[in-house]
Amino acid sequence: MPPGILLPMDERPIGMFDSGLGGLTVARAVADALPGEDIVYFGDTARCPYGPRDLAEVRGFVLQIGTWLAARDVKLIVVACNTGTAAGLALAQRVFDVPVIGVVEPGARAAVKATVNRKVGVIGTVGTIESEAYPRAVRAIDAGVTVFSMATPKFVEAAEAGIRTGIYEVSRSYLDPLRRTGIDTLILGCTHFPLIDTAIRNGIGRGVQLISSAEEVAAEVVDTLERRGQLASAGRTGRHRFATTGDPGEFQRPGGSVFGGSLGHAERVELAALESLMDERLRAALVEAADADAREVAACE
């Protein structure tokens, strides 16, 4: 770069959210990659887990939390939730004026790069698996890769609650069918799953590479901000703020362990306050998305 030319800088925060603690694995990767960036993280623990919910309902949650983050003048939003990404990423990208990044496509890219025998497994919530977001994303990158999917809802409960009793037996029961398919790569299709990766490794067996989207998402955040000239100034220390719809104390204690440092004070956000953010424009966007879903289903019948 010629001398005297200053890089642009943007010290607005990065917004991130998940249904609970799992997205903090992504937030940690982003903070490690960009230590000078401010982060605002929202954990919707009062409505966790998203996986068993109807995707149309989750899509509404994505718009509510995205609007809450946009009101805090974020420069980029990360949907650090696989179910949230599957349900509402495309709509959020149309609605919000800042880039919105999900976790499915980065994870799919990493799996396609990693697989040797071109057999990839995916585990996730019921909502993520039924959406078929990962098979579509993988096939869009390499149509020759075969994807085997398995819903593992008990993993989310175990990771969020810190349950360890019986998790190895549950893991072996869930993952034995995937192991028998001969996959060499397994996508952890939920940001909670790195919290129990030891049990998952035990269940899937040796020789299968586990893919977490956290580092891939962080790399995409870095690339996006660099290309847009929106990185924070060099040498600063980023500030991290946290909010939750649940009990702040119950969020802070395990959350600090996941994030790799104390969360400090977590702001409590009432669900009623989130729900009040749904104005006519957002409601119309949800109706339009639901109509598009109905047309897609009709076309497949």
Side-chain angles (χ1 to χ4, degrees):
M1 182 176 58
I5 302 298
L6 297 178
L7 285 172
M9 55 188 144
D10 187 338
E11 295 182 358
R12 290 180 297 164
I14 297 166
M16 308 181 68
F17 71 92
D18 179 38
S19 63
L21 299 173
L24 287 168
T25 59
V26 182
R28 180 175 182 173
V30 172
D32 287 345
L34 294 169
E37 296 288 345
D38 292 352
I39 293 173
V40 179
Y41 179 91
F42 192 106
D44 192 11
T45 48
R47 298 186 292 201
C48 182
Y50 283 178
R53 296 178 181 269
D54 185 85
L55 290 182
E57 182 182 29
V58 176
R59 190 178 288 147
F61 298 167
V62 170
L63 292 190
Q64 290 171 12
I65 299 171
T67 301
W68 188 91
L69 289 169
R72 275 127 192 97
D73 196 29
V74 297
K75 60 186 174 185
L76 179 146
I77 295 173
V78 178
V79 185
C81 171
N82 284 268
T83 306
T85 297
L89 177 65
L91 181 58
Q93 290 172 333
R94 292 195 294 269
V95 166
F96 299 115
D97 295 330
V98 298
V100 183
I101 294 173
V103 291
V104 170
E105 187 175 324
R109 265 199 315 270
V112 169
K113 292 176 183 177
T115 183
V116 174
N117 68 7
R118 305 178 87 191
K119 292 183 179 181
V120 171
V122 180
I123 54 175
T125 67
V126 172
T128 297
I129 298 304
E130 289 185 350
S131 75
E132 296 193 349
Y134 272 104
R136 284 199 301 270
V138 168
R139 286 194 294 267
I141 300 166
D142 185 342
V145 174
T146 303
V147 181
F148 302 89
S149 302
M150 174 75 66
T152 54
K154 290 183 180 179
F155 281 171
V156 182
E157 299 169 11
E160 190 74 18
I163 297 170
R164 295 294 179 266
T165 304
I167 190 61
Y168 284 86
E169 289 77 10
V170 170
S171 180
R172 285 191 288 272
S173 174
Y174 269 149
L175 299 179
D176 182 62
L178 282 179
R179 186 172 60 246
R180 287 188 274 109
T181 65
I183 61 170
D184 68 354
T185 305
L186 179 64
I187 299 172
L188 305 183
C190 176
T191 52
H192 289 76
F193 291 175
L195 305 179
I196 55 168
D197 62 351
T198 301
I200 292 173
R201 287 183 188 280
N202 179 271
I204 200 61
R206 295 180 179 180
V208 177
Q209 183 169 347
L210 302 188
I211 300 294
S212 168
S213 59
E215 287 74 21
E216 296 293 322
V217 172
E220 187 162 336
V221 169
V222 172
D223 184 60
T224 300
L225 295 180
E226 281 182 341
R227 290 177 182 273
R228 294 169 63 89
Q230 291 183 322
L231 289 171
S233 56
R236 75 188 298 268
T237 300
R239 295 170 297 175
H240 305 143
R241 295 165 51 200
F242 302 89
T244 177
T245 51
D247 179 89
E250 293 180 0
F251 179 79
Q252 289 161 201
R253 286 187 292 273
S257 176
V258 178
F259 189 64
S262 173
L263 302 188
H265 170 73
E267 177 184 354
R268 171 73 181 270
V269 179
E270 299 293 338
L271 289 178
L274 278 184
E275 292 162 358
S276 70
L277 298 176
M278 292 295 293
D279 58 21
E280 289 303 317
R281 180 179 69 99
L282 297 181
R283 292 192 188 95
L286 284 174
V287 170
E288 183 179 344
D291 290 343
D293 285 348
R295 290 194 296 270
E296 182 177 346
V297 170
C300 293
E301 291 177 348

